Amino acid sequence: MTKNCNNDYKMKFAVDEEFPDLSQHNNHMSKVLTKDIYNKLRSKSTPSGFTLDDCIQTGVDNPGHPFIMTVGCVAGDEESYEAFKELFDPVISDRHGGYKPTDKHLTDLNWENLKGGDDLDPNYVLSSRVRTGRSIKGFTLPPHNSRGERRAVEKLSIEALNSLDGEFKGKYYPLKDMTDKEQEQLIADHFLFDKPVSPLLLAAGMARDWSDGRGIWHNDNKTFLVWVNEEDHLRVISMQKGGNMKEVFKRFCVGLQKIEDVFKKHNHGFMWNEHLGFILTCPSNLGTGLRGGVHVKLPKLSTHAKFEEILTRLRLQKRGTGGVDTASVGGVFDISNADRLGSSEVQQVQLVVDGVKLMVEMEKKLEKGESIDDMIPAQK
Amino acid sequence: MASSFARILSGNRKVGILSLVGAGSLTVGFFLNREQHVSAGSSVRRIYPPSAEYPDLRKHNNCMASHLTPAVYAKLCDKSTPNGYTLDEAIQTGVDNPGHPFIKTVGMVAGDEESYEVFADIFNPVIKERHNGYDPCNMKHPTDLDSSKIRGGMFDEKYVLSSRVRTGRSIRGLSLPPACTRAERREVERVVVDALAGLKGDLTGKYYSLTVMTEQEQQQLIDDHFLFDKPVSPLLTCAGMARDWPDARGIWHNNEKTFLVWINEEDHTRVISMEKGGNMRRVFERFCKGLQEVERLIQEKGWEFMWNERLGYILTCPSNLGTGLRAGVHVNLPRLSKDPRFSKILDNLRLQKRGTGGVDTAAVGSTFDISNLDRLGQSEVQLVQTVIDGVNYLIECERKLEKGQDIKIPAPISQFK
């Protein structure tokens, strides 16, 4: 049990003096955190020494945006979600559509349960991608980990990834010692991740000691990619050009299983529980942590009056082709599942597959000058 | 004052009185022993040996990286100050910011007064390197704020456009910006604003809190070049100094706009005296008077500044220890600045040049910011005299060049007087 001397020292000051000023704030944490809750939790720390103030620093430092609700708090370790449940439970409920503390999350990584998904029209669907995150049990998370821990996660990850064979055979590129040539190739492949610049991540301490312990692994085919020690311990990505989401999802599930087996052999499986599913740094990624999506050409549909409503009913969200917080270019959108917690991987990818198929049909109708009013779906 | 601070820090009030009596190092010792927290391993999570935690500094060029050997790291990594500040926290900014091949940054900060003692094995060599050989182990720093000792100090306004002296002060008993809690930061604000409210005469002024500033006030402060904003430099943000922005941050200035105090930016306080024109003497007089008045006012309430005879005034960054003083002018030197001997002349006069936007900016036209190089090992009076004498010499050179006469590189002046 790590004694947090700094937090003990802080306890000498009155709660009124320590409670943050959240009057200008608009994020999930600021909406939930009352002085009572703060008072109740401020003396606690997790076994590794993470405290409430550590969780909320990013939300205090980043008041948010009037239109976009950020989460405003992070976990420093697996135990954070339990130790600070009075904060995290309502934040999770607000972020994940009313998910209750008593709810159970279903995990389903059986790719065979996915129906269809291998026939999305490649004239419209330019690329398909599924990503998720995984945390390694027994290590603290990026906001809190020490250099020693981060390096240990990297070491285990390299071992796990180097054990992969067949279509998964690949190579690890540590950020620290990357050659210029390797760097250029990774940029050209759209694989390279860089030091975070978002104040949301920086204020949470996730960029400390950059680029120590960070790296990118990908298979020789360039269809399976793992980021090590960016915002989460691992970010796992399966992707390819075209519309065969089923193949992407199969590779995703099979690859994840193989990696997990190696970690389990070292008694460091993935963080998971039956209430929150896979445990990740940001509460927004709990559950499946899965974002399955396509880059799809929808120039007509995207300007249709009902586009937003269609997306909402299909439980999908749109982004620009640069990812989160970017704009669409040339009518091409990144369409992906909106949900993470409370439905399984298969269910979420199914929504993407079915929803994108429908939207491509709508686009084709609009191209012919026909109406799509009878195609508007019911709320899923 | 019935706040929780009054009760907690009553121990400090005794400390304050001891220091008034002149028991400098005794005070520091008393202060360090008031809590039995300085012990190995109590707040640092040690699953891995120091060798697994030692940062990779191979690509780094800052003072911390030059002196933090694996042995020093191993010795200090389990320690923490009474408030729980650790070595890893102190060096985080230097690990995250490898530095520049030409500009050597310091690469570490103090989280509280005790940091300089608990982590002396790394701070001492860093201080020695940064302060051009001042050895904290066997030298004493002189403090002298008696402005009457200044000779001259009225510059030719044909050349000198403005004069300015700045320093910082920390409130003893409260953690520094990298480590302070919200409560401590708010207490710094209260203590200092309370004291500033007691200033009279030409020092009468007003406080503008960053959290409740009106748009109009903000615009006026920008126009006066007084407003400071949330730090963007990664050197500062990686050290945690921008946390909770803008809570408990603000600007105070006198009605005449010649005396300005920043609260809770990079230090507890930054104190600035400035005027257009060349009357450095008056700028320094007001500087000393204002500082001494503020000190008197906080002492009335049982507070005092962080100071000791080894390191002078204690500030967040080791580069500002000693006097924390930068006295400078904006001076126009069209001919001298193009002379190839300009840099050498400045070096020998122990002056440094900056652009008119401050540190890391370029000069506009031929107007430079010229100020003292040193901070630690010489007193305020000595450093301001150095600037006065040096700038006069530069002006003389400029005049000579105007008349087509030759100039001389002066002999290097001695550093520690």
Side-chain angles (χ1 to χ4, degrees), chain A residues 2-6 9-10 12-14 16-21 38 48 53 56-57 60-62 139-140 144-149 151-152 176-177 195 207-210 212, chain B residues 4-5 8 35 37 42-45 47-48 51-56 58-59 73 83-84 88 91-92 95-96 173 175 179 181-184 186 190 230 242-245 247:
Chain A
T2 302
K3 188 167 151 53
N4 189 317
C5 273
N6 183 252
Y9 171 72
K10 209 185 286 186
K12 295 178 185 175
F13 306 131
D16 283 341
E17 294 305 321
E18 285 294 351
F19 187 65
D21 178 354
Y38 185 81
S48 75
D53 275 335
I56 66 172
Q57 190 67 58
V60 174
D61 288 348
N62 296 292
F139 296 100
T140 60
H144 189 40
N145 56 13
S146 69
R147 283 180 292 272
E149 281 190 294
R151 291 162 178 171
K176 216 174 10 166
D177 300 315
K195 181 172 180 173
R208 287 171 303 125
D209 314 312
W210 203 271
D212 196 319
Chain B
S4 46
F5 266 96
I8 295 156
E35 308 274 4
H37 276 151
S42 56
S43 89
V44 183
R45 193 171 76 253
I47 315 167
Y48 298 95
S51 57
E53 296 286 0
Y54 182 69
D56 182 350
R58 288 172 295 159
K59 297 199 176 127
Y73 183 80
N83 300 354
D88 278 336
I91 65 172
Q92 190 68 61
V95 175
D96 289 349
S175 307
T181 74
R182 280 182 290 271
E184 289 183 296
R186 292 166 181 173
R190 262 195 294 272
K230 181 171 180 175
R243 287 170 304 128
D244 313 312
W245 202 273
D247 197 322

Side-chain angles (χ1 to χ4, degrees), chain B residues 279-296:
Chain B
N279 198 341
M280 178 61 92
R281 173 188 212 92
R282 190 166 63 200
V283 166
F284 188 55
E285 278 167 358
R286 185 183 312 111
F287 176 83
C288 295
K289 182 174 124 185
L291 275 172
Q292 284 157 341
E293 260 304 285
V294 171
E295 184 163 22
R296 186 185 67 75

Side-chain angles (χ1 to χ4, degrees), chain B residues 13-30 140 172 295 299 304 307-310:
Chain B
R13 287 157 193 254
K14 295 188 198 93
V15 167
I17 291 162
L18 273 176
S19 139
L20 279 174
V21 168
S25 53
L26 179 66
T27 307
V28 173
F30 177 88
K140 288 211 200 340
R172 175 162 279 161
E295 184 163 22
Q299 281 169 345
E304 56 177 5
W307 179 93
N308 68 51
E309 58 179 10
R310 198 174 66 94

Side-chain angles (χ1 to χ4, degrees), chain B residues 40 51 79 87 96 102 152 161 171 327 331-332 350 359 383 399:
Chain B
S51 57
K79 296 204 160 107
L87 177 71
D96 289 349
F102 304 150
L161 310 175
I171 309 299
V331 59
N332 202 18
R350 302 204 69 77
V359 68
L383 290 176
R399 285 183 183 134

Side-chain angles (χ1 to χ4, degrees), chain B residues 1 110 121 162 185 189 241 256 304 316-317 332 380 411:
Chain B
M1 186 170 61
D121 285 327
S162 61
R185 198 185 295 112
E189 186 187 36
M241 300 195 221
E256 296 179 10
E304 56 177 5
T316 302
C317 181
N332 202 18
E380 290 80 355

